[in-house]
Amino acid sequence: MEKFIKLAIDGNVAIITLNRPEKLNAWNTEMRNEIIAALKRFDQEAAIGAIVMTGAGDRAFCAGQDLEEAHGFDKTRVDEWMTEWENYYRTLRALKKPLVMALNGTAAGSAFQVALLGDIRVGHAGSRMGQPEINSGIPSVTGPWIMAPMLGLSRTIELTLTGRLMEAEEAHRLGLIHHLVPQAEVMSKSLAIARDLAGKPPVAMRLDKQRFYEITEPGFVDAIAAGRRIQGEAYATGEPARMMEEFFKKRGHSIAG
């Protein structure tokens, strides 16, 4: 039984809902493991032709990594942590079936990256996106790998170093959000797209997605290797822990980030 996500079937479309609205749907290791299991299950089910991922509530698709979990990390945890992310991202990348991201709100940090690993993204005016890790003292490695081919190096550098979140209109203009609709229509539009994709010839769909996997695999392998090295160096200095401690102190209590 899933603890942090909700699963549903709508015809030949599977729906995965990130379900920690009190934490802005921020994920921890257990939640990511539930998502991985659901993705693999739906990818194997013959009756499912496409998958939609969304978040519970109306504030955030996902706020990224739950800083309550990351706050206690040190250099000894980095290698295991990077393996967890490698498994998550590889599961998303290896899907044979199309994945539509219904962005009900903000997608920040690793959630921004996961949203970009989907095939089609639907959002509304409140669907902000960005890479704010630097503000928590965490260097970005997988983020630039995903962003650079989509945005070019100049915009990737700007977003990574400033840590700012793009408003939905900018993300739409840049092609990161494919469809910008009223908030109430995000899920219906996502389901319509998913149904259309589910009706495509399945072998061609699988082979197209396989080719995108092959094209981007060398960069992914490099990014994970760099992540182990760079995150190890960052956490060895203690900067991420200090920045996250300041984050919690400013707010007076622990919240997801």
Side-chain angles (χ1 to χ4, degrees):
M1 188 69 182
E2 292 77 18
K3 181 179 178 182
F4 297 119
I5 64 175
K6 295 189 295 185
L7 305 178
I9 305 292
D10 187 322
N12 59 354
V13 176
I15 303 168
I16 300 173
T17 302
L18 313 179
N19 192 33
R20 297 183 78 203
E22 75 284 357
K23 298 291 186 182
L24 301 181
N25 299 318
W27 39 47
N28 53 27
T29 298
E30 187 177 355
M31 183 180 182
R32 289 194 301 273
N33 287 340
E34 289 183 3
I35 297 168
I36 290 170
L39 289 169
K40 289 182 174 179
R41 170 189 150 194
F42 290 139
D43 204 39
Q44 294 299 319
E45 289 190 8
I48 299 300
I51 305 168
V52 171
M53 185 182 294
T54 191
D58 58 7
R59 295 178 62 196
F61 168 72
C62 175
Q65 171 63 38
D66 187 340
L67 294 187
E68 290 184 21
E69 179 181 64
H71 178 251
F73 286 1
D74 58 23
K75 187 178 185 299
T76 62
R77 176 74 170 86
V78 166
D79 192 64
E80 181 182 11
W81 191 39
M82 285 305 302
T83 297
E84 292 175 9
W85 287 107
E86 180 180 13
N87 291 340
Y88 187 18
Y89 284 14
R90 191 169 295 284
T91 298
L92 289 159
R93 287 168 41 70
L95 290 173
K96 299 187 291 292
K97 297 172 182 176
L99 175 61
V100 178
M101 295 297 190
L103 302 174
N104 58 298
T106 297
S110 56
F112 173 48
Q113 298 168 32
V114 166
L116 295 185
L117 288 174
D119 298 307
I120 308 291
R121 287 167 290 282
V122 180
H124 64 86
S127 301
R128 299 193 304 159
M129 307 179 82
Q131 192 71 43
E133 277 92 341
I134 193 167
N135 298 324
S136 299
I138 301 173
S140 296
V141 183
T142 50
W145 160 71
I146 295 170
M147 286 190 290
M150 295 185 177
L151 296 173
L153 192 57
S154 176
R155 186 57 61 96
T156 297
I157 291 171
E158 186 261 334
L159 289 170
T160 301
L161 299 188
T162 63
R164 72 178 180 90
L165 295 182
M166 293 174 286
E167 298 297 329
E169 190 280 329
E170 180 183 0
H172 181 243
R173 188 175 71 249
L174 293 172
L176 300 183
I177 296 177
H178 298 105
H179 301 274
L180 204 56
V181 300
Q183 183 174 5
E185 298 176 18
V186 169
M187 182 53 74
S188 60
K189 179 67 173 179
S190 298
L191 286 171
I193 293 170
R195 292 189 193 102
D196 178 64
L197 293 173
K200 303 292 184 185
V203 174
M205 177 66 71
R206 173 176 60 81
L207 293 176
D208 278 344
K209 286 180 62 66
Q210 176 182 307
R211 185 57 187 146
F212 289 127
Y213 180 100
E214 293 168 352
I215 290 169
T216 56
E217 178 66 5
F220 178 62
V221 171
D222 174 73
I224 294 299
R228 297 183 192 280
R229 170 175 52 84
I230 290 172
Q231 299 293 356
E233 181 175 345
Y235 277 90
T237 69
E239 182 174 88
R242 290 195 301 273
M243 294 305 298
M244 281 184 266
E245 188 62 35
E246 289 182 19
F247 176 87
F248 291 135
K249 283 180 179 177
K250 285 179 183 178
R251 286 153 180 79
H253 57 86
S254 295
I255 63 173

